[in-house]
Amino acid sequence: MHDDRTLVEARLKRVLDERIRPAVHPESVPLDVAVWTAPGEPVPVAEGLAAPAVSIAVGDRWGAPWGTSWFRVSGTVPQAWAGRTVEALLDLGFDENMPGFQCEGLVYRPDGTPVKGLNPRNQWVRIGAPVAGGEDVLLHIEAASNPVILDYHPFLPTQLGDKETAGSEPQYTLARMDLAVFDENVWNLVQDLEVLGELMAELPVEGARRWDVLRAVGRALDRVDLQDVNGTAAAARAELATVLAAPAEPSAHRISAVGHAHIDSAWLWPLRETVRKVARTTSNMTALLEDEPDFVFAMSQAQQFAWIKEHRPEVYAKVKKAVADGRFVPSGGMWVESDTNMPGSEAMARQFVHGKRFFLDEFGVENDEAWLPDTFGFAAGLPQIIKAAGSKWLLTQKISWSQTNKFPHHTFQWEGIDGTRIFTHFPPVDTYNCSMKGSEIAHAAKNFKDKGVARHSLAPTGWGDGGGGTTREMVAKAARMRSLEGSATVTWETPAEFFTKAEAEYPNAPVWVGELYLELHRATLTSQAKTKQGNRRSEHLLREAELWAATAAVRTGFPYPYVELDRIWKTVLLHQFHDILPGSSIAWVHREAEKTYAAVADELNGIVAAAQRALAGDPASGELLVFNSAPHTRGGVPAGGAGAVTVGSPGRPAPREGGGYVLDNGLLQVEIDGRGLVVSAYDIGAERETVAPGQAANLLQIHPDFPNMWDAWDVDAFYRNTVTDLTELDELTPVEDKGAVGVRIVRSFGDSQVTQVLTLSPGAKRLDIDTEVDWHETEKFLKAAFPLDVHAERYASETQFGHFYRATHTNTSWEAAKFEACNHRFVHLEEPGWGVALVNDSTYGHDVTRTVRDSDAGTTTTVRVSLLRAPRFPDPETDQGVHRFRHALAPGATIGDAVREGFRINLPERRVAGDRTVAPLVTVDNDAVVVSAVKLADDASGDVVVRLYESTGGRARVRLGIGFEFADPKVTDLLERPLAEGNVPVRVEGGVQLSLRPFELVTVRLTRR
């Protein structure tokens, strides 16, 4: 037989596009349309419904950027349509290729009841099935004219990302407002032909099944009368019945479809718009659940449920009912789908605490899975946190975006820094926006790397990013692939049902140890510096507020601010969303974030001040107390306590031969040359130089920074090919600053200026570096380099509840791909017996490289901290303005010293007038053990909760001293619920004894007597 495949396939495409799809709605009449444009921000529903509207016609322009227009559509169902199914087709001017990224709408009845959302792939509203004919139709549409930021030519700078700069030009043209007959038979024919046509394209040409499908499609097209598609659709479908009924092979890959609408809590839209996106999507999904009995929908992010509860209670009522029915599944158990690289230990824990508690309180649901499809890589401390929250599974998809190395598994055990393992799945469909295309289903089956030992994978199904969710077409296609020869099988299942099956069939899944590094989006560790600083400082202020409020509550009866701390934590957790904290959102988001962080700081500082005032005693005593919030004693003041301290006398900067100055405090001798560069940092006790021979530390370097795509997200390796060392000097002067001695350095470059103050404090074995940058560059990358005379094949960077080692070499492509990585408060390098720490108060991105010197064959290991970038998309003014950073170089530091110095720089002492020494609520007798939180229990019982962890990577026995009368100490999970097994506290005089494995975190709950 002649090969006529291309002829039949081309015929299928044209007949579908030009004849069959248009026949789904064969008759229509126009609706009358009127519009009212809200003058500012969105208004309450009742106001929008009652507002005076003026006539508007199809073809008219509407919608200034970020505006809200209330459309009123009205009409009458023709009497001739009696007995038929009728829908309203409401096209606001959609581009079908941009679901979630365009204008959207939520449809209401006149009484304010929400009906469903409108988006480019969901433009219909059911009027009746069947109708009687003659019904009056009146609907209201709350339409958001969100501008298109990520257009067909992506990454072009645009002012549309902030309402203040977006202008008022209408963005959309009203396209269609009709009542139309819906022909379900033709609609089903479309689904039949799409499924078979897409399956056919994936089948091997030499296989009989492809030809069986091809011939059936050809026969069906023969039965379609192109002048009477509606009258011949049933006959065409009959020709397809046999090939659609052929069951899947027993060995077919098995896909668990989970209805899904990944909604970025902010990205190319502000937070306030996400509130409405969630309402639109959940309205659609609850309606679809009512229509489709097999369908299951999962939604993560407790924050998004909380938004609709607060802002759209009528939508939330439908969600609660669907959750109770077990078909709308709260998933993930986190407050938001956060970044996991940059949030600190406690913040990462609280993501699960607040997320899981919300789902328990609202729905009685506890999640076993962490659900993070779009997060940009995963820190090595996360498995322990997931387990400590009472969960055991993880799903993500984003690792499939890695540019260099293909991850070797789709289902595996992920082992974290402490040895905890979490059963993990990467959907081989390689998208969290699966639309049930045949190509997607075939890709999942072919791509699945665990064939032969496992056969289950998961497909998150529905339009996401900007929301929209699953469509009736996706559900219909899934039904046809439930068991279809040549295809993987598709079944709607909850995440828990999938993971239970996947884990049972793969008990010996392979193990991946350490971080799940995304070989892409590395620049998100640096973009939008003020957002990152706001996060870091909020995390540490929350630590202080909880610590001092708890201490004051126990010691003085101070009213513990439960409600305020709960609200502030949720605000900070929201801003850790994986497009806010990483700096990849529009200008509006980051402008608001800066204001929010300032308000958070004001409120937390107020809580801290009030609690310390309650503790400090008589402010008129003339005495000054130092409050130490850090987890280590400093200046004689115990961790978590307050007392008087004395400050040593600083020396004075000495002129350096050849220019510059020498700083010396008896522990370190630092030479700063005439260029203002650190050319020596000599550890006097160890008789050891820190700076590599012939090199200079604290060297500011600037690179061009124009990645191939994803400007705010990416830095490509070629950026290193061009570098400019900033050595020109405006000013070099000696200074004395708060008891320290140092120098002030001013440099100008481009349109920017940097001022640095380098200081040595009495008794401190570190060089403090305060940097202020007035930054006005674009598409540039600013780093500070520290070439160290250290031979190290690996280095440590702090992560949640510990640290993680990365290679300094590039032996393999896996190591080479990590040319920009994340740390929290410190990076540490060492040779046996001597090390160096570089600590920071608000930066995350860094790189570490090593070279061998020709002069002495010694190794130079260079640590560079990333300070600022200047991408132009999606915020064309990214990071413009003044920024302040604090770093410190600590020669001779052990890993324990690095931990201590990291906390010191992030938790400065507070000085309060008073005469009452404050004893800590709790103490530890092992410096390797860090107390990460002291607080009162969330249930307002008054119990004291202490979280601690082993910080150096070794085993530790520790006595937790308890400075109050207590009974019944319990080890709990993160939600402060007693654990049936695990670490057991042993009562000893004045406290409890614990044994910790490397990096183990333990939460202890203490009932006060």
Side-chain angles (χ1 to χ4, degrees):
M1 181 178 289
H2 297 295
D3 185 350
D4 59 352
R5 285 178 299 115
T6 56
L7 191 66
V8 176
E9 291 164 2
R11 180 190 182 195
L12 171 62
K13 182 180 186 308
R14 184 176 185 191
V15 173
L16 257 177
D17 289 346
E18 297 185 22
R19 292 293 188 272
I20 301 177
R21 286 197 184 95
V24 170
H25 294 98
E27 301 174 54
S28 64
V29 295
L31 288 160
D32 294 325
V33 188
V35 65
W36 173 75
T37 300
E41 283 294 278
V43 300
V45 173
E47 183 177 343
L49 295 177
V54 297
S55 180
I56 186 174
V58 168
D60 288 349
R61 301 281 289 168
W62 71 277
W66 306 114
T68 300
S69 297
W70 282 84
F71 291 96
R72 187 182 67 214
V73 295
S74 58
T76 302
V77 176
Q79 196 66 51
W81 292 358
R84 302 170 79 177
T85 297
V86 174
E87 295 180 341
L89 301 182
L90 308 173
D91 186 345
L92 300 174
F94 297 126
D95 180 336
E96 289 193 1
N97 295 314
M98 292 188 177
F101 294 89
Q102 279 211 327
C103 57
E104 299 173 19
L106 182 56
V107 179
Y108 295 90
R109 295 187 180 92
D111 64 359
T113 304
V115 180
K116 68 187 297 284
L118 298 175
N119 63 62
R121 295 297 181 103
N122 211 324
Q123 303 177 21
W124 58 275
V125 175
R126 182 63 56 87
I127 301 301
V131 296
E135 295 96 331
D136 289 330
V137 175
L138 176 60
L139 297 171
H140 297 262
I141 307 168
E142 181 191 19
S145 49
N146 302 330
V148 176
I149 306 295
L150 192 67
D151 213 334
Y152 285 100
H153 187 166
F155 318 121
L156 289 179
T158 174
Q159 296 295 329
L160 291 172
D162 194 332
K163 188 174 64 171
E164 294 183 357
T165 60
S168 58
E169 183 70 20
Q171 299 292 292
Y172 297 100
T173 300
L174 202 62
R176 184 177 186 182
M177 294 277 154
D178 289 346
L179 286 177
V181 171
F182 174 73
D183 189 327
E184 188 170 4
N185 214 21
V186 176
W187 182 84
N188 275 305
L189 177 60
V190 171
Q191 312 317 312
D192 292 345
L193 289 171
E194 283 192 355
V195 166
L196 290 171
E198 291 166 4
L199 171 67
M200 184 168 57
E202 301 299 327
L203 294 170
V205 174
E206 62 275 12
R209 174 64 170 167
R210 177 158 182 166
W211 293 91
D212 288 345
V213 173
L214 183 80
R215 296 303 169 215
V217 168
R219 292 193 300 271
L221 295 176
D222 289 342
R223 298 299 297 271
V224 173
D225 182 340
L226 300 184
Q227 278 68 52
D228 185 16
V229 172
N230 302 89
T232 54
R237 292 196 70 203
E239 295 291 347
L240 303 173
T242 300
V243 288
L244 283 169
E249 297 92 341
S251 61
H253 184 67
R254 297 170 186 174
I255 293 177
S256 297
V258 178
H260 187 236
H262 170 66
I263 303 178
D264 286 310
S265 289
W267 179 27
L268 305 180
W269 44 86
L271 289 167
R272 67 89 155 144
E273 190 56 32
T274 313
V275 174
R276 302 200 296 177
K277 283 178 173 285
V278 174
R280 296 172 199 130
T281 296
T282 53
S283 293
N284 276 354
M285 295 305 96
T286 52
L288 192 59
L289 287 167
E290 292 175 1
D291 294 341
E292 301 290 349
D294 293 332
F295 177 55
V296 174
F297 181 77
M299 188 171 92
S300 70
Q301 306 191 73
Q303 172 70 85
Q304 297 188 358
F305 287 85
W307 274 334
I308 52 174
K309 179 183 179 182
E310 178 184 357
H311 297 281
R312 291 289 192 273
E314 66 283 1
V315 177
Y316 192 62
K318 293 184 177 182
V319 170
K320 287 202 76 169
K321 180 182 183 302
V323 172
D325 293 340
R327 298 178 58 216
F328 193 118
V329 182
S331 62
M334 296 175 68
W335 191 247
V336 294
E337 289 182 12
S338 72
D339 180 79
T340 76
N341 286 312
M342 290 176 282
S345 303
E346 277 303 310
M348 200 73 256
R350 305 301 175 94
Q351 285 286 352
F352 288 91
V353 168
H354 286 280
K356 295 195 78 169
R357 186 168 288 138
F358 183 92
F359 288 161
L360 281 164
D361 291 346
E362 290 291 316
F363 310 119
V365 169
E366 178 153 13
N367 304 91
D368 285 325
E369 79 285 344
W371 182 275
L372 292 163
D374 191 30
T375 296
F376 308 154
F378 298 86
L382 187 58
Q384 180 177 205
I385 298 171
I386 294 172
K387 183 178 180 181
S391 298
K392 58 184 179 180
W393 301 317
L394 169 66
L395 176 135
T396 186
Q397 182 272 322
K398 199 71 169 192
I399 299 297
S400 69
W401 286 39
S402 285
Q403 288 179 315
T404 305
N405 298 286
K406 195 76 171 175
F407 198 81
H409 319 293
H410 281 108
T411 303
F412 60 99
Q413 294 279 356
W414 178 29
E415 181 177 317
I417 56 174
D418 72 310
T420 297
R421 291 181 177 179
I422 293 295
F423 188 79
T424 302
H425 180 66
F426 294 171
V429 70
D430 281 351
T431 178
Y432 49 79
N433 295 326
C434 176
S435 62
M436 284 293 139
K437 286 184 180 178
S439 56
E440 294 171 336
I441 301 306
H443 177 75
K446 295 172 185 175
N447 187 42
F448 187 56
K449 294 186 178 300
D450 302 284
K451 299 181 185 76
V453 287
R455 63 174 58 182
H456 282 84
S457 73
L458 186 146
T461 303
W463 300 115
D465 290 316
T470 317
T471 65
R472 61 183 178 183
E473 289 77 15
M474 296 174 194
V475 175
K477 294 173 84 167
R480 287 157 174 79
M481 290 184 284
R482 187 175 184 88
S483 180
L484 180 62
E485 184 184 353
S487 171
T489 67
V490 178
T491 306
W492 295 106
E493 292 186 304
T494 67
E497 288 170 332
F498 160 75
F499 273 109
T500 299
K501 292 178 180 178
E503 194 170 29
E505 77 173 358
Y506 208 6
N508 298 310
V511 177
W512 181 269
V513 178
E515 68 182 332
L516 296 171
Y517 180 91
L518 177 64
E519 296 170 357
L520 194 73
H521 292 359
R522 303 167 181 90
T524 57
L525 303 173
T526 305
S527 297
Q528 298 287 1
K530 289 184 178 177
T531 299
K532 291 170 171 57
Q533 289 181 331
N535 173 73
R536 178 77 70 84
R537 291 166 185 172
S538 296
E539 289 179 352
H540 289 84
L541 283 169
L542 278 160
R543 172 195 172 88
E544 290 190 83
E546 289 182 339
L547 169 65
W548 299 121
T551 304
V554 174
R555 297 274 186 257
T556 73
F558 179 81
Y560 191 81
Y562 292 102
V563 173
E564 293 84 351
L565 289 173
D566 179 80
R567 171 176 46 77
I568 295 168
W569 262 118
K570 288 172 179 174
T571 298
V572 173
L573 297 177
L574 166 60
H575 286 79
Q576 292 177 339
F577 179 74
H578 65 250
D579 276 308
I580 303 179
L581 179 54
S584 46
S585 289
I586 55 174
W588 190 347
V589 173
H590 294 288
R591 174 172 54 81
E592 284 192 336
E594 186 175 353
K595 294 178 181 177
T596 298
Y597 283 130
V600 163
D602 285 346
E603 190 168 4
L604 289 173
N605 279 317
I607 292 171
V608 171
Q612 290 179 343
R613 180 74 272 133
L615 290 163
D618 183 6
S621 65
E623 299 180 42
L624 201 61
L625 292 175
V626 170
F627 281 78
N628 177 17
S629 304
H632 307 91
T633 298
R634 57 184 177 186
V637 179
V645 297
T646 57
V647 179
S649 176
R652 297 186 62 82
R656 176 180 176 271
E657 186 178 347
Y661 295 91
V662 178
L663 312 180
D664 191 328
N665 66 357
L667 298 173
L668 286 181
Q669 185 181 80
V670 177
E671 294 187 32
I672 298 158
D673 72 5
R675 301 170 297 171
L677 301 177
V678 177
V679 292
S680 175
Y682 189 73
D683 181 345
I684 295 171
E687 299 181 342
R688 173 71 185 258
E689 177 58 60
T690 306
V691 180
Q695 300 291 308
N698 191 39
L699 172 64
L700 296 175
Q701 297 180 308
I702 196 163
H703 299 267
D705 185 17
F706 190 64
N708 289 345
M709 57 194 305
W710 297 109
D711 296 43
W713 295 256
D714 284 358
V715 56
D716 290 330
F718 54 73
Y719 89 94
R720 289 181 174 177
N721 297 347
T722 306
V723 60
T724 301
D725 294 343
L726 303 181
T727 59
E728 296 299 317
L729 197 62
D730 296 349
E731 178 186 332
L732 177 62
T733 54
V735 297
E736 291 186 27
D737 181 40
K738 297 178 182 177
V741 59
V743 297
R744 182 174 186 266
I745 304 157
V746 181
R747 304 182 194 280
S748 297
F749 59 94
D751 294 319
S752 305
Q753 186 177 76
V754 59
T755 301
Q756 292 188 298
V757 177
L758 279 56
T759 53
L760 276 184
S761 297
K765 199 175 178 182
R766 65 174 183 270
L767 175 67
D768 288 311
I769 304 165
D770 290 272
T771 302
E772 179 181 289
V773 187
D774 188 5
W775 181 247
H776 298 284
E777 308 306 302
T778 57
E779 295 168 352
K780 295 288 191 296
F781 199 176
L782 180 65
K783 284 182 170 267
F786 295 81
L788 307 173
D789 190 10
V790 177
H791 177 84
E793 293 184 358
R794 66 176 190 172
Y795 72 97
S797 59
E798 190 183 34
T799 188
Q800 294 98 3
F801 298 109
H803 56 266
F804 176 69
Y805 287 102
R806 297 186 184 92
T808 61
H809 58 74
T810 54
N811 281 359
T812 72
S813 58
W814 295 87
E815 284 110 15
K818 295 182 180 183
F819 59 82
E820 185 79 6
C822 183
N823 67 283
H824 287 186
R825 287 170 290 233
F826 69 80
V827 169
H828 181 261
L829 298 93
E830 66 178 340
E831 297 173 0
W834 194 86
V836 184
L838 185 61
V839 301
N840 72 83
D841 78 335
S842 59
T843 58
Y844 296 91
H846 70 277
D847 67 84
V848 178
T849 55
R850 66 200 298 262
T851 58
V852 174
R853 302 185 292 269
D854 292 334
S855 58
D856 62 355
T859 301
T860 297
T861 305
T862 300
V863 180
R864 299 198 307 161
V865 296
S866 302
L867 297 178
L868 290 166
R869 299 183 67 236
R872 301 186 65 210
F873 181 88
D875 176 4
E877 302 297 322
T878 301
D879 280 332
Q880 301 299 297
V882 177
H883 304 269
R884 295 176 180 87
F885 309 96
R886 295 198 72 207
H887 294 82
L889 181 69
T894 64
I895 196 73
D897 294 329
V899 174
R900 182 181 297 103
E901 290 296 335
F903 275 106
R904 177 200 61 80
I905 200 170
N906 283 274
L907 289 164
E909 298 168 340
R910 291 180 184 256
R911 300 177 186 271
V912 179
D915 62 351
R916 188 188 302 153
T917 298
V918 179
L921 280 188
V922 297
T923 60
V924 293
D925 64 354
N926 187 332
D927 271 357
V929 176
V930 168
V931 174
S932 67
V934 178
K935 59 190 288 293
L936 296 193
D938 290 343
D939 62 6
S941 63
D943 290 359
V944 175
V945 173
V946 182
R947 189 145 38 244
L948 45 82
Y949 68 99
E950 197 290 316
S951 67
T952 66
R955 295 185 180 275
R957 287 179 60 81
V958 63
R959 178 184 174 276
L960 177 65
I962 300 167
F964 53 90
E965 292 296 318
F966 70 98
D968 196 23
K970 292 184 176 68
V971 170
T972 72
D973 66 5
L974 293 178
L975 276 71
E976 302 166 5
R977 303 173 297 191
L979 293 173
E981 55 186 29
N983 210 319
V984 179
V986 178
R987 285 291 294 261
V988 296
E989 182 66 27
V992 297
Q993 192 83 32
L994 292 162
S995 295
L996 277 64
R997 67 177 185 272
F999 299 130
E1000 181 180 6
L1001 75 87
V1002 175
T1003 305
V1004 180
R1005 182 168 179 153
L1006 302 160
T1007 300
R1008 292 154 57 197
R1009 283 181 174 168

